[in-house]
Amino acid sequence: MDISQAGSAAPGGLTRLRATVRDLWDELPASERTVAQYLISTPVEQVMFASTQELGTASGTSNATVVRALQRLGYAGLPALKRELAADFTAAQAPDVRLAQRIAHVGKDLDKICNDVFDETRERLDQCRGLVDTEALGRAVTVLAEAREVFCYGVAACELAARHLARALGRIGRRARFAGDTGFALADSLLPLGRGDAVVVFQPGRPLAELTVLVERARAVGARVVFITDELSEAFADRAEAVLLAPYTPTGTTNESLTGLVLADVLLLALTTLDETSAIEHSHQLNALRDKLLEPGEQRGRGRP
């Protein structure tokens, strides 16, 4: 087996994969060796857009064998491997090139498009669930439960999860506001932040300068911080009361906010159970206000958010 020339990516995640395969080669069963050899011999872009089922078919093994091989190589699953390979992939390819490759991978087959989206959704959610630290989650719930007001911050793709958390907190009777400003505009949003407040930051990996300013402001005024992130956990662990891991998408096939939204819902349900009476009362008031906003004769749909 010649690992040194396998694959097509720059040093990084693939280099680690090659080294791991080399070190564990003698311990791998024959079928898992086949998977390992396929992974290090295939262009990174093909692995990035593949599901475990597709990797099993391509390597002549099976979905289950791919999962076992990845675990034996030290990865929590396929998303974990993709995360490491993504650094090589994104550094070597411009966004428009990556989009073209993603389109080429799925083609025009609607069934394949549907399967790819659902497969990556399931993989990301499974990984996110496996990364849940119940102690960190408990601290996050406590921070929000004790907060005078919750400041939810998210930029660009992360704005969706931050807006969702802020709106839903209001619906269960907790003061909350959203901000997604960058640059000088963020200063106005930070000014009201005070002692007893909580800050929830949604940011997967890019270390924006605004994050440091936001966290420093929170610490200066006595507000507590919860980070929902992927790659920034170590950078902010010592400045946050809790860090929750939300794996991002390595391919762009699914929405960046997917795992952040799910963790936001976990926090919301936990907070609802802490004060059920208040949550129910605010839900009643919300529905009463909605009824007043209906046109005469219009019925409120059950699926209305």
Side-chain angles (χ1 to χ4, degrees):
M1 177 185 62
D2 183 5
I3 295 177
S4 63
Q5 301 301 317
S8 62
L14 184 58
T15 298
R16 176 185 179 276
L17 175 61
R18 290 172 177 167
T20 303
V21 171
R22 182 177 61 247
D23 293 342
L24 299 179
W25 184 256
D26 292 338
E27 302 175 21
L28 297 175
S31 59
E32 293 175 19
R33 285 186 181 182
T34 301
V35 173
Q37 180 65 62
Y38 179 81
L39 292 175
I40 62 174
S41 303
T42 302
V44 168
E45 54 269 21
Q46 292 186 28
V47 177
M48 287 288 295
F49 295 119
S51 65
T52 51
Q53 183 65 51
E54 289 172 330
L55 290 175
T57 300
S59 62
T61 58
S62 68
N63 176 37
T65 302
V66 171
V67 173
R68 289 196 300 270
L70 290 171
Q71 292 174 344
R72 203 180 299 269
L73 292 171
Y75 298 96
L78 183 56
L81 172 62
K82 288 182 177 181
R83 285 175 62 206
E84 291 203 2
L85 296 179
D88 299 333
F89 184 61
T90 55
Q93 303 285 359
D96 57 323
V97 175
R98 298 198 301 272
L99 176 59
Q101 290 175 339
R102 184 161 72 245
I103 294 172
H105 170 74
V106 298
K108 299 183 182 298
D109 186 332
L110 188 56
D111 285 339
K112 179 168 179 51
I113 290 172
C114 184
N115 289 335
D116 279 6
V117 173
F118 276 93
D119 285 345
E120 182 172 293
T121 297
R122 183 183 64 252
E123 290 169 355
R124 285 182 65 195
L125 291 180
D126 285 346
Q127 185 186 16
C128 185
R129 185 173 187 173
L131 292 172
V132 170
D133 180 336
T134 52
E135 292 185 1
L137 181 61
R139 291 195 300 272
V141 172
T142 299
V143 167
L144 270 60
E146 296 176 351
R148 179 183 68 92
E149 183 177 60
V150 181
F151 177 79
C152 305
Y153 185 75
V155 176
C158 297
E159 178 178 325
L160 179 61
R163 281 189 181 278
H164 167 63
L165 179 60
R167 179 182 290 111
L169 283 170
R171 288 177 175 177
I172 61 173
R174 297 184 181 274
R175 289 181 56 186
R177 60 190 175 100
F178 159 80
D181 301 311
T182 57
F184 281 1
L186 179 59
D188 292 295
S189 296
L190 295 182
L191 197 58
L193 198 62
R195 180 172 297 278
D197 289 343
V199 175
V200 182
V201 180
F202 293 85
Q203 179 64 18
R206 183 171 296 179
L208 302 174
E210 286 82 356
L211 301 180
T212 298
V213 175
L214 171 55
V215 171
E216 288 179 350
R217 171 67 176 175
R219 291 170 63 84
V221 301
R224 295 189 288 178
V225 178
V226 173
F227 244 88
I228 298 179
T229 185
D230 187 345
E231 296 180 345
L232 301 180
S233 57
E234 293 183 5
F236 288 94
D238 61 343
R239 290 176 284 174
E241 275 61 42
V243 175
L244 305 179
L245 297 178
Y248 68 83
T249 168
T251 65
T253 300
T254 51
N255 190 278
E256 189 67 79
S257 291
L258 174 66
T259 48
L261 281 166
V262 172
L263 288 176
D265 283 341
V266 172
L267 293 171
L268 287 164
L269 183 57
L271 288 167
T272 301
T273 63
L274 291 179
D275 194 347
E276 182 179 346
T277 301
S278 176
I280 292 175
E281 173 59 26
H282 279 83
S283 177
H284 173 73
Q285 292 182 30
L286 176 66
N287 288 325
L289 288 169
R290 285 174 169 172
D291 286 340
K292 293 180 179 180
L293 294 170
L294 296 175
E295 296 293 334
E298 181 183 359
Q299 292 186 344
R300 179 159 48 88
R302 294 182 179 180
R304 182 169 299 212

